[in-house]
Amino acid sequence: MRTISILGTKNSSETGKIHGAPSPFILALQAPQLARTTPPAQPSLSPHCLSLLRRGGISGRAAERVAAPAGGGGAGAPAVSVPRCRRPPSEKGSEEPGPVPAAGPPHAALTLERRRRIEELSRASRQRLLQSRDRMFSKFTSILQHAVEALAPSLPLQEDFVYHWKAITHYYIETSDDKAPVTDTNIPSHLDQMLDILVQEENERESGETGPCMEYLLHHKILETLYTLGKADCPPGMKQQVLAFYTKLLGRIQQPLLPHINVHRPVQKLIRLCGEVLATPTENEEIQFLCIVCAKLKQDPYLVNFFLENKLKAMASKESTNVITEDMLKCQESLVTDTGQPIQPEEIPGAAGAEQMEKEDDLPHQGDDLSFSLDELNVASSPESSTVGPNQDYNLVNSLLNLTKSPDGRIAVKACEGLMLLVSLPEPAAAKCLTQSTSLCELLTDRLATLYKALPQSLDPLDIETVEAINWGLDSYSHKEDASAFPGKRALISFLSWFDYCDQLIKEAQKTAAVAMAKAVRERFFVDVMEPQLMQTSEIGILTSTALLHRIVRQVTSDVLLQEVVYFILGEHREPETSTDINRHPLRHRLIEHCDHISDEISIMTLRMFEHLLQKPNEHILYNLVLRNLEERNYIEYKPLCQEDKDVVENGQIAGAIDLEEDPLFTDLSPDNTLSAQEWLSASPPVSPEHPKNDGKTEVHKIVNSFLCLVPDEAKSSYHVEGTGYDTYLRDAHRQFRDYCVICLRWEWPGSPRSLEKCNLEASFFEGHFLKVLFERMGRILDQPYDVNLQVTSVLSKLSLFPHPHIHEYLLDPYVNLASGCRSLFSVIVRVVGDLMVRIQRIPDFTPKLLLVRKRLLGLEPEGPIIDHMTLLEGVIVLEEFCKELAAIAFVKYHASSTP
């Protein structure tokens, strides 16, 4: 799980420069300014200030009491007693228009017009000077205020806290310039002081105890008021200050705040303001705020229920109209808030008073967090057909989804981290709302589709396979600095990076949310976008799309997403295949056919994809490709045994089996090329009563010798080269078999084959489309390119490693008595060896040429003139090595099954 790191915020000096405020150094060089004239009477509230304070929960009378001199200095007013001077007479006189002069000659009129313009310019200059003076005076009083606070005796924390809060409210009462940026006021300083006081109060008290300052903040709904001011962004830049205050409050206060209704309610409203517009100056503060909320929910997952907002929707018939009846409004009484309390009449949106200002905006959630939109109510004409059901909205997810589209890559990554925290919450209601009421699934799949379509039509499969490992949060790539750059690498990295994010998101998600997201990826991306590319006829397109599918199979780590990938490739069928219905899942049929494509590149890439697919921890893969066709064991010719045939014959064979040592193909084998029974028995574990020899298994030394003796002496070349013996395969086989056993352990496979009496042996046997193609490829091993042969044998060896008794019997037991018309891996190899022995006679100097080709393949001999029959010679070498590998696998599996 990747942790959330909070991005740094811009300092106030930089913000001030953005808004055009002069630096403190320039202000200090200006001449001393006179204070503004203050009327002796009680200050009155402007309509704008009254509106803001009513939104924050402060009535007009209370606001005027705050404006009284005893209420403390305002955010923009001096905190100490400073003598105030009246405006000079020249300024007062300039504001009143003078007497209109009598009409005169034209040049006198021009003179008067020129004088009037000069006076207007002079008046504008004086106004700008006054504004500059006010800003400078505000800075000066702030410095003086800090000096007085440092020298004055400290007040109790609660009094100090109330003083700073009233200073902020006093600013909105006294201010006459609501266009000045917030950085030119003392509001940021007062907010920081309030936060420091809250932190200090918590540190001085016992854990979990709420102090008077925190109680004051909660009781007086200070967060609600700050939200209102931030929404109005008054003064300009206030939204940033509010977001920063919320973020620091939730991050620095240790006691749980979100359960309080006067905390999670304004937090919920502030969340809705985030991500509304991209590339705004507040994006940095927005993502920090959202991430700290996500981190708090990760610590206490049950809190997420406070952020699942109720939304009224009516289920009506088609002839419904948009008319709100009295009965519809009465149904609100049955709804409850997210705190479990009934909705009070005064809490209904737009009820009265201070909530009226919210009604015109997007805040109908005021009071009970109920999203009540008139446009969403469809009331049927008949009362019987109209019912109302609550739905839920997840605005925290919606805001993060909006910020994932930010042009700033850092903001987008942080938004993705926040989403990963939210999907991992174990609350079922949150998971359901996440997938059903948000556009998260659409975001994942649409971006996958967009990035996939942005890839070039042709990409080198080697580039797709070897591009560096992708981590979704580290998608940083410079084409100029990359020495191994290729066309389309930037687009490829972007696609693989986003797929990695989808994979990790589904891996971390709650179970029901993970299933829903994985299904959406399968239906909206794999089926709609990738499948047409895999089914096309263009060889270049097939090769590129198969290489990308191969990379996806290798990269996927989520079990839920892997299941959907498997269903996409193979389908969900589990009944045995027949030769007539192999096209039931068109994509599966097409991909298996591509294993035997006329293009060797396509064949190799598709075989590699299946090889990696077989190594994935998913039982359906092997069952769909192989096991479902071996379940009934109808590849065996079953003959009821007489009493004297029930025991295993003396040489270890099953009654009726063929002794390969008596086969004409193996009459010329020398004793040096076989391993004696004594040698194998000494290497094998001793027979135990629980694992007797005569349990139906052929002795392992017979099986191993059968594979090692398949290739005739004149076709062997490994004994002429050091380090290419049979024992080199034992170590690899042991390691791989151990890994496969770990994967298959949870699948609860049987330890022995199914009893023939319980099998349906009357049904005709079909090895399945996958094995059919592999056996046909194996039968042409002497005529295929070297790389194709390596890939075919690699897939067959991976299949042989699976610890299922039917797979072992069908692929690794040479002595199985096959039914008529059936073939096994061993019988296919026997036919290849028979063809080889005939063709050897037609090639002069076959053994020296074979040895030379082996040494060239191993790099022991330099490349020289082309040798005749190169494909055949390379095929013989692959066949010999494959037989040694199968012998090693058989021995390792026997050893593992014989060990108690």
Side-chain angles (χ1 to χ4, degrees):
M1 191 66 211
R2 297 181 175 91
T3 58
I4 295 296
S5 59
I6 303 302
L7 299 175
T9 56
K10 298 180 180 178
N11 56 40
S12 58
S13 63
E14 293 178 354
T15 310
K17 294 177 183 178
I18 292 175
H19 290 283
S23 66
F25 178 74
I26 298 298
L27 291 174
L29 295 180
Q30 295 178 354
Q33 304 292 330
L34 298 177
R36 287 180 294 179
T37 304
T38 304
Q42 182 76 7
S44 61
L45 296 176
S46 66
H48 180 68
C49 293
L50 280 174
S51 172
L52 288 175
L53 292 175
R54 281 171 178 166
R55 290 189 184 186
I58 301 177
S59 64
R61 294 180 180 177
E64 295 189 10
R65 286 197 299 271
V66 172
V80 295
S81 177
V82 180
R84 300 175 182 264
C85 299
R86 296 182 179 275
R87 182 175 299 175
S90 60
E91 296 183 15
K92 183 181 296 185
S94 63
E95 296 177 359
E96 300 177 0
V100 180
H107 69 274
L110 292 175
T111 303
L112 290 176
E113 181 68 22
R114 189 180 298 111
R115 183 180 300 173
R116 188 178 295 109
R117 291 182 179 177
I118 292 173
E119 289 178 356
E120 291 176 355
L121 292 174
S122 177
R123 187 180 301 110
S125 299
R126 282 194 297 272
Q127 290 177 355
R128 287 194 296 269
L129 182 62
L130 288 174
Q131 292 176 358
S132 177
R133 179 196 65 185
D134 293 342
R135 287 195 296 268
M136 184 270 171
F137 192 71
S138 176
K139 295 290 184 181
F140 175 75
T141 54
S142 176
I143 296 173
L144 192 59
Q145 173 185 335
H146 286 299
V148 172
E149 290 175 353
L151 297 175
S154 59
L155 296 174
L157 289 180
Q158 184 178 4
E159 294 183 17
D160 203 9
F161 184 82
V162 173
Y163 161 76
H164 287 292
W165 174 239
K166 289 188 176 181
I168 294 175
T169 59
H170 198 69
Y171 166 82
Y172 289 95
I173 298 172
E174 282 199 342
T175 184
S176 60
D177 183 13
D178 57 358
K179 295 183 179 179
V182 71
T183 50
D184 289 350
T185 71
N186 289 334
I187 292 178
S189 175
H190 286 301
L191 289 175
D192 290 340
Q193 292 292 332
M194 291 171 62
L195 188 64
D196 292 339
I197 291 172
L198 291 172
V199 173
Q200 180 182 351
E201 180 185 66
E202 185 182 51
N203 294 335
E204 293 176 355
R205 293 180 173 269
E206 296 182 1
S207 177
E209 184 179 355
T210 302
C213 297
M214 181 61 71
E215 289 182 355
Y216 183 90
L217 179 139
L218 297 175
H219 180 70
H220 289 79
K221 299 183 179 181
I222 290 178
L223 295 180
E224 289 272 6
T225 305
L226 287 176
Y227 156 74
T228 305
L229 299 175
K231 182 176 185 297
D233 200 26
C234 179
M238 189 62 186
K239 183 179 178 181
Q240 283 179 304
Q241 298 297 327
V242 172
L243 285 166
F245 181 81
Y246 273 63
T247 302
K248 294 175 183 177
L249 180 69
L250 295 176
R252 295 175 61 181
I253 299 299
Q254 300 302 317
Q255 61 177 307
L257 294 178
L258 288 177
H260 295 281
I261 191 171
N262 289 333
V263 176
H264 73 251
R265 204 180 260 175
V267 166
Q268 200 174 47
K269 296 176 183 178
L270 193 59
I271 286 171
R272 290 196 289 266
L273 297 183
C274 299
E276 287 183 325
V277 182
L278 297 180
T280 61
T282 61
E283 260 194 347
N284 192 31
E285 288 77 13
E286 289 176 9
I287 194 61
Q288 289 185 66
F289 166 65
L290 294 177
C291 283
I292 196 66
V293 174
C294 293
K296 289 297 179 181
L297 295 182
K298 183 65 176 177
Q299 293 176 2
D300 299 305
Y302 76 94
L303 295 176
V304 73
N305 294 293
F306 293 129
F307 296 88
L308 303 179
E309 305 178 47
N310 293 327
K311 182 168 57 178
L312 282 181
K313 284 190 176 181
M315 303 299 295
S317 61
K318 292 183 180 180
E319 52 273 354
S320 62
T321 60
N322 294 327
V323 179
I324 301 180
T325 62
E326 184 178 355
D327 294 337
M328 178 62 67
L329 296 176
K330 288 181 180 179
C331 74
Q332 294 177 358
E333 299 175 0
S334 64
L335 296 176
V336 296
T337 65
D338 51 10
T339 59
Q341 299 178 354
I343 298 175
Q344 300 300 325
E346 61 270 20
E347 292 181 329
I348 296 179
E355 306 299 329
Q356 188 65 25
M357 298 299 295
E358 302 282 346
K359 190 175 181 181
E360 298 176 358
D361 299 315
D362 62 339
L363 294 174
H365 313 267
Q366 185 80 5
D368 59 353
D369 300 317
L370 184 67
S371 177
F372 185 78
S373 176
L374 301 184
D375 295 333
E376 293 175 352
L377 292 177
N378 296 320
V379 183
S381 55
S382 59
E384 296 82 3
S385 62
S386 63
T387 58
V388 178
N391 195 4
Q392 290 180 315
D393 203 5
Y394 207 164
N395 284 311
L396 181 56
V397 174
N398 294 331
S399 296
L400 288 170
L401 289 175
N402 290 335
L403 289 174
T404 59
K405 306 169 187 176
S406 171
D408 189 340
R410 297 172 304 149
I411 301 295
V413 169
K414 297 295 291 182
C416 290
E417 290 177 350
L419 288 172
M420 188 166 289
L421 286 177
L422 292 181
V423 300
S424 64
L425 300 179
E427 292 293 319
K432 182 179 179 180
C433 185
L434 185 79
T435 55
Q436 295 184 2
S437 301
T438 72
S439 58
L440 176 61
C441 295
E442 288 78 4
L443 171 78
L444 299 179
T445 55
D446 291 349
R447 188 167 295 183
L448 265 180
T450 301
L451 293 173
Y452 184 87
K453 293 175 182 177
L455 296 173
Q457 293 295 322
S458 176
L459 281 172
D460 189 342
L462 186 61
D463 291 335
I464 297 175
E465 182 178 357
T466 58
V467 70
E468 57 270 15
I470 303 299
N471 293 320
W472 65 268
L474 304 174
D475 183 14
S476 57
Y477 171 73
S478 175
H479 182 82
K480 297 180 180 179
E481 299 176 0
D482 189 3
S484 60
F486 56 86
K489 185 172 184 178
R490 167 75 268 178
L492 177 61
I493 290 178
S494 297
F495 168 73
L496 294 177
S497 174
W498 186 249
F499 181 81
D500 179 66
Y501 174 70
C502 297
D503 180 41
Q504 295 300 320
L505 190 72
I506 295 173
K507 187 176 182 179
E508 297 292 336
Q510 193 261 3
K511 186 175 180 180
T512 57
V515 171
M517 289 187 289
K519 287 183 178 295
V521 171
R522 173 189 170 189
E523 295 169 0
R524 297 168 61 94
F525 171 66
F526 285 118
V527 175
D528 293 348
V529 180
M530 281 203 74
E531 185 170 353
Q533 298 297 315
L534 293 166
M535 298 288 286
Q536 64 180 306
T537 56
S538 168
E539 291 189 2
I540 295 178
I542 294 173
L543 186 60
T544 301
S545 57
T546 307
L548 287 168
L549 180 62
H550 175 220
R551 179 62 190 252
I552 288 173
V553 169
R554 285 176 48 203
Q555 189 168 314
V556 64
T557 58
S558 165
D559 290 339
V560 180
L561 184 57
L562 174 63
Q563 182 74 43
E564 297 300 325
V565 172
V566 171
Y567 286 160
F568 165 68
I569 296 175
L570 303 178
E572 303 181 30
H573 305 293
R574 294 180 67 87
E575 60 274 9
E577 293 179 79
T578 63
S579 57
T580 57
D581 67 350
I582 57 177
N583 199 21
R584 291 182 62 183
H585 188 72
L587 180 61
R588 177 185 186 271
H589 178 265
R590 181 67 62 89
L591 289 174
I592 293 177
E593 287 293 323
H594 286 172
C595 294
D596 197 6
H597 199 272
I598 190 174
S599 168
D600 293 334
E601 285 186 291
I602 293 177
S603 297
I604 293 173
M605 183 53 61
T606 310
L607 286 167
R608 296 190 68 182
M609 188 275 295
F610 277 110
E611 180 183 3
H612 280 96
L613 191 65
L614 287 168
Q615 299 176 53
K616 290 294 179 178
N618 188 286
E619 184 267 348
H620 184 72
I621 299 171
L622 189 68
Y623 193 87
N624 180 277
L625 290 174
V626 178
L627 274 181
R628 59 172 170 166
N629 303 307
L630 307 180
E631 197 72 27
E632 297 296 333
R633 296 181 69 194
N634 45 2
Y635 49 85
I636 295 178
E637 184 179 0
Y638 177 65
K639 295 179 180 179
L641 300 178
C642 302
Q643 183 63 34
E644 59 271 13
D645 294 332
K646 290 185 179 180
D647 296 328
V648 179
V649 294
E650 185 176 328
N651 62 0
Q653 288 181 235
I654 300 175
I658 301 174
D659 190 348
L660 295 178
E661 294 180 1
E662 298 177 359
D663 193 284
L665 292 175
F666 304 101
T667 55
D668 58 345
L669 297 180
S670 63
D672 297 335
N673 295 329
T674 62
L675 297 177
S676 65
Q678 186 63 32
E679 291 174 344
W680 281 113
L681 291 176
S682 63
S684 303
V687 178
S688 62
E690 295 82 6
H691 297 82
K693 279 187 179 180
N694 57 349
D695 60 352
K697 292 183 180 179
T698 308
E699 294 179 4
V700 67
H701 73 277
K702 291 282 189 180
I703 296 176
V704 172
N705 278 336
S706 297
F707 282 110
L708 291 179
C709 299
L710 268 176
V711 180
D713 283 350
E714 58 267 31
K716 291 182 177 179
S717 56
S718 59
Y719 59 88
H720 293 291
V721 180
E722 186 179 356
T724 58
Y726 155 78
D727 57 329
T728 58
Y729 288 97
L730 284 174
R731 288 185 294 272
D732 290 338
H734 178 72
R735 175 184 55 80
Q736 294 178 23
F737 181 69
R738 182 183 56 198
D739 295 341
Y740 274 72
C741 288
V742 172
I743 294 175
C744 305
L745 188 62
R746 58 180 177 174
W747 298 342
E748 299 180 354
W749 280 346
S752 59
R754 186 179 180 184
S755 173
L756 290 176
E757 286 77 6
K758 299 179 181 180
C759 296
N760 181 18
L761 300 178
E762 300 299 327
S764 60
F765 175 70
F766 176 58
E767 64 261 30
H769 193 197
F770 187 59
L771 283 181
K772 174 178 178 292
V773 171
L774 290 179
F775 285 170
E776 290 173 355
R777 276 290 196 181
M778 191 66 202
R780 302 196 303 268
I781 191 172
L782 301 179
D783 303 300
Q784 292 175 157
Y786 178 72
D787 293 334
V788 174
N789 288 335
L790 287 180
Q791 196 58 55
V792 171
T793 54
S794 178
V795 174
L796 286 170
S797 65
K798 293 294 188 299
L799 283 173
S800 303
L801 280 165
F802 280 99
H804 194 284
H806 295 176
I807 290 180
H808 179 85
E809 180 181 55
Y810 185 63
L811 298 181
L812 292 178
D813 190 353
Y815 297 96
V816 64
N817 194 18
L818 295 175
S820 176
C822 298
R823 58 180 177 177
S824 66
L825 177 59
F826 188 83
S827 67
V828 171
I829 298 176
V830 167
R831 292 188 181 93
V832 172
V833 171
D835 181 35
L836 172 63
M837 294 180 66
V838 175
R839 297 170 68 173
I840 285 177
Q841 311 299 326
R842 305 172 186 171
I843 303 175
D845 301 324
F846 177 82
T847 302
K849 291 179 180 179
L850 184 65
L851 183 59
L852 179 60
V853 171
R854 175 180 281 274
K855 289 183 177 180
R856 286 185 179 180
L857 291 174
L858 294 174
L860 301 178
E861 288 285 341
E863 292 294 332
I866 299 177
I867 303 176
D868 296 335
H869 309 286
M870 176 66 76
T871 301
L872 173 64
L873 296 172
E874 290 175 343
V876 172
I877 294 173
V878 173
L879 179 63
E880 181 187 358
E881 297 301 314
F882 182 53
C883 290
K884 291 192 294 184
E885 185 176 12
L886 292 177
I889 293 172
F891 177 74
V892 168
K893 293 179 75 173
Y894 174 82
H895 186 280
S897 63
S898 301
T899 303

